[in-house]
Amino acid sequence: MSAAVAMKAPVAPRQGPVFEDLSVGQQVDTLSKGPLTTAHLMRWSAAMENWHKIHYDLPFATGHDKLPGLLINGSLKQQFILQLLKDWAGDTGWVWKVKFQFRAMNLVGETLSIWAKVTGTRAIEGRYGLVDLDLGIVNGEGKESTPGAATIALPFRNGAAFPYPFVPPEA
Amino acid sequence: MPVMLTDEIKGYIGRTSAEIIATDTVEPGAVRRYAQAIMDEDPGYAPGAEAGRYGGPVAPPLYPAFMFRRPLGTPDALTERAADPDFDGLVSAASDGLPELPLPGRALLNGGSEVEIVRYARHGEAVKQRSRYADIYEREAKNGTAMLFVIVETEYRTTNDELLLKVRKTHIRR
């Protein structure tokens, strides 16, 4: 096999859930990230070229900003939330809206569990079903740091694929 | 009586940035480093991903919001402020194009975001953004100190004006 061929990565569409299979209270399989080390935080800071010292400069974080240690970037935590929802919705659903608050700090060394559960469902007739979820990120001690919510569009069992780019229900 | 929310600060509400075009297009190498850093090695992010629903290889959902980097030939804050003990490493004013709030020495915390996603950016696309100070208000922390909540709304579009993503971000200054 040539190197050029080896680089190809064929992608089969990933079938996500269909709207009719969901009900309030249903849990999404938790996504685990960690333990997150200073190397993980450095890699993320470099990838996005954001040099906020509270994520890698311990004397600055604890001395100047009076923090208890190096913080796991909120900008990294939000990526984990998007990954959980995107992978769950698959290539047949769409993560339309996501919101979250960074209420508590997560410190380097922690392992994060990203969770979501269904809180509501509503059918937009002839288009798609919308699923509301609560979500968050808990650390190894079970402390919630990032409460939030999302709305995801899913296809009906016998319905056609809905348009991409996504068309919001009010449009 | 507001401590941080002066009339001068209030005057920033509603101010809008110029339209800014991202430093680079959606580059496969930058997408790979980003995907590896967030530990989401989705095959749809790789060069050669089949066209499918997304029309070719794409970047992670929030990638457009991270494409506004320092262009070559512009001032390097890391070097210019190397001797400043209060420099926190942030070069935020350069990233969203909004005038920096006059709050020197005040820490900046990321309070959270509301995101609306319309489609993913594809490899090779050029992206632009426009931001706006949607609101600025003051609250008292549990310990009685003042905190300023700065709400910044940003729309990310391709340079062909196709909407990708809207983000409503809360910055906390204290």
Side-chain angles (χ1 to χ4, degrees):
Chain A
M1 188 187 284
S2 77
V5 172
M7 282 178 64
K8 293 277 180 190
V11 184
R14 287 155 297 191
Q15 175 71 49
V18 293
F19 179 71
E20 289 84 349
D21 286 346
L22 292 173
S23 53
V24 171
Q26 198 166 330
Q27 306 266 346
V28 175
D29 286 343
T30 298
L31 176 68
S32 177
K33 295 286 185 182
L36 294 166
T37 65
T38 49
H40 289 104
L41 304 191
M42 181 180 66
R43 182 168 66 177
W44 171 238
S45 293
M48 63 169 175
E49 297 176 65
N50 180 318
W51 314 109
H52 200 177
K53 293 179 181 175
I54 61 173
H55 307 300
Y56 59 87
D57 184 336
L58 187 61
F60 185 88
T62 56
H64 185 278
D65 274 8
K66 312 294 181 209
L67 295 166
L70 294 174
L71 301 194
I72 298 172
N73 316 56
S75 58
L76 183 57
K77 292 192 278 186
Q78 71 185 0
Q79 311 286 337
F80 299 158
I81 292 171
L82 266 293
Q83 184 188 349
L84 173 83
L85 301 172
K86 165 185 71 76
D87 288 351
W88 181 70
D91 291 326
T92 48
W94 186 250
V95 181
W96 174 35
K97 283 184 173 178
V98 187
K99 63 180 178 182
F100 39 82
Q101 294 184 336
F102 297 120
R103 289 270 190 88
M105 296 178 276
N106 291 108
L107 298 176
V108 74
E110 292 185 13
T111 297
L112 305 182
S113 296
I114 302 88
W115 63 271
K117 73 171 184 205
V118 176
T119 57
T121 60
R122 56 210 147 104
I124 309 297
E125 289 306 329
R127 300 177 71 180
Y128 42 69
L130 290 177
V131 178
D132 295 317
L133 302 107
D134 278 349
L135 57 87
I137 299 180
V138 294
N139 66 7
E141 293 167 354
K143 189 175 86 171
E144 177 61 62
S145 67
T146 318
T151 302
I152 292 180
L154 295 176
F156 297 118
R157 184 180 313 284
N158 297 313
F162 55 84
Y164 175 90
F166 183 69
V167 181
E170 63 269 22
Chain B
M1 188 67 188
V3 179
M4 294 175 73
L5 188 61
T6 60
D7 285 345
E8 185 191 8
I9 297 279
K10 278 185 198 163
Y12 283 75
I13 299 172
R15 288 182 72 172
T16 302
S17 75
E19 202 168 77
I20 302 171
I21 295 175
T23 324
D24 305 299
T25 57
V26 179
E27 297 172 333
V31 169
R32 177 183 55 75
R33 288 188 290 276
Y34 183 106
Q36 288 172 339
I38 65 175
M39 293 172 278
D40 175 15
E41 302 202 14
D42 191 314
Y45 304 151
E50 285 173 354
R53 184 198 205 189
Y54 310 112
V58 294
L62 300 177
Y63 186 88
F66 292 83
M67 288 176 66
F68 297 81
R69 315 293 179 93
R70 187 176 73 80
L72 277 175
T74 58
D76 174 16
L78 266 59
T79 300
E80 289 189 348
R81 298 187 63 186
D84 176 358
D86 288 326
F87 179 51
D88 60 7
L90 271 178
V91 260
S92 59
S95 63
D96 62 16
L98 285 169
E100 197 164 351
L101 295 173
L103 297 165
R106 294 280 193 173
L108 187 151
L109 297 176
N110 185 349
S113 291
E114 294 181 40
V115 179
E116 186 176 344
I117 308 167
V118 173
R119 76 162 173 87
Y120 299 147
R122 288 189 299 270
H123 289 199
E125 285 190 309
V127 172
K128 63 181 182 176
Q129 64 118 324
R130 190 188 288 275
S131 293
R132 176 175 164 265
Y133 283 117
D135 200 7
I136 304 175
Y137 56 90
E138 185 172 316
R139 292 281 184 276
E140 207 171 272
K142 281 180 203 150
N143 65 7
T145 60
M147 298 194 300
L148 204 65
F149 287 74
V150 181
I151 314 298
V152 175
E153 283 180 352
T154 306
E155 273 193 10
Y156 299 91
R157 294 175 177 270
T158 66
T159 49
N160 295 329
D161 219 31
E162 293 176 31
L163 182 61
L164 300 168
L165 180 70
K166 291 185 202 176
V167 178
R168 187 179 161 90
K169 203 175 203 178
T170 303
H171 291 148
I172 301 170
R173 305 295 299 265
R174 61 175 176 83

